[in-house]
Amino acid sequence: MGLALGAVLVSTMLLCTQATAAAPEEAGEGPGAPVTTPGHGERACPVLYFDLGETLVHTAEDGSTTYLPGASSYLRTLRARHIRVGLITNVPASWGTTDAERAARLRREVDATWRGPAAFAWADFGDRIRTPRTEAERKPSPVLWQRAKDDSAGCRVVYQAETAQEVAVASSLGYVAYQIGLPQRPAFLPAGLVELLGRRFA
């Protein structure tokens, strides 16, 4: 993957998390556990999850919402590489009784305040939007990360967020976790490295 990518890999492992291989028996823990299957053209592994607010989007003081710098182009790059993406984000549990209902409400809320030149890429995330069913499940509770991992069919899971606390929780559950927004590091985990992690650990 080249010297530059190799350097990022070393930096990521030292500064973010020491990844451990996903055990095959982790796939679909428990009887009847949901499994998210790849869509047309998507790679089976890895699955890259994001926080939403201040990781991919920013809400300004006037209430308007836009992509954070580089987020839109990063999602386009992941899409071109057919890497599956998802969201792990806090919303009020009262927004619905299922992830799909709460995700639909989240989309309406974001779209209502959106001011970017291009709409937020909701289609990229498919049914991989994990939200709390109760207030007790809100991050930093590990519940949402565990649910997302269980739904990822044994794939390596990656998580990116702007807060050290969320990165630490994700890392403790076996994610390759990357904190965005730190100086002298890529704004997001390089897509080539994400792809490499999927090939190595799937």
Side-chain angles (χ1 to χ4, degrees):
M1 302 294 290
L3 293 177
L5 182 56
V8 171
L9 175 60
V10 172
S11 174
T12 300
M13 294 309 171
L14 290 176
L15 297 176
C16 303
T17 178
Q18 289 289 339
T20 56
E25 59 269 20
E26 290 176 347
E29 289 180 0
V35 173
T36 302
T37 56
H40 179 70
E42 290 180 324
R43 298 181 189 279
C45 294
V47 185
L48 169 53
Y49 287 95
F50 296 93
D51 179 41
L52 181 60
E54 304 312 317
T55 297
L56 292 176
V57 304
H58 170 69
T59 301
E61 290 185 4
D62 65 0
S64 63
T65 308
T66 58
Y67 277 117
L68 278 172
S72 180
S73 61
Y74 184 60
L75 289 175
R76 285 197 302 271
T77 299
L78 297 172
R79 189 184 313 134
R81 291 175 178 262
H82 307 290
I83 294 172
R84 288 190 291 165
V85 296
L87 295 174
I88 299 175
T89 188
N90 283 336
V91 302
S94 61
W95 278 9
T97 58
T98 66
D99 274 327
E101 289 178 1
R102 292 186 295 272
R105 173 67 183 273
L106 173 64
R107 177 172 181 167
R108 292 195 298 272
E109 295 288 332
V110 171
D111 288 352
T113 60
W114 193 258
R115 297 294 182 269
F120 186 73
W122 293 108
D124 291 2
F125 299 89
D127 61 355
R128 295 175 295 274
I129 301 178
R130 299 293 169 260
T131 54
R133 294 170 292 196
T134 66
E135 292 305 300
E137 289 190 359
R138 293 177 65 85
K139 297 182 295 181
S141 164
V143 172
L144 296 184
W145 286 285
Q146 190 62 58
R147 283 171 53 201
K149 185 178 179 182
D150 292 346
D151 292 350
S152 296
C155 284
R156 164 62 63 214
V157 281
V158 182
Y159 182 71
Q160 300 191 57
E162 84 284 7
T163 63
Q165 183 183 38
E166 291 197 5
V167 165
V169 176
S171 177
S172 74
L173 294 172
Y175 282 73
V176 174
Y178 187 81
Q179 186 175 352
I180 73 160
L182 297 182
Q184 299 180 337
R185 293 174 55 186
F188 295 95
L189 191 63
L193 177 54
V194 175
E195 192 173 33
L196 177 63
L197 289 168
R199 288 204 301 265
R200 182 175 179 185
F201 294 113

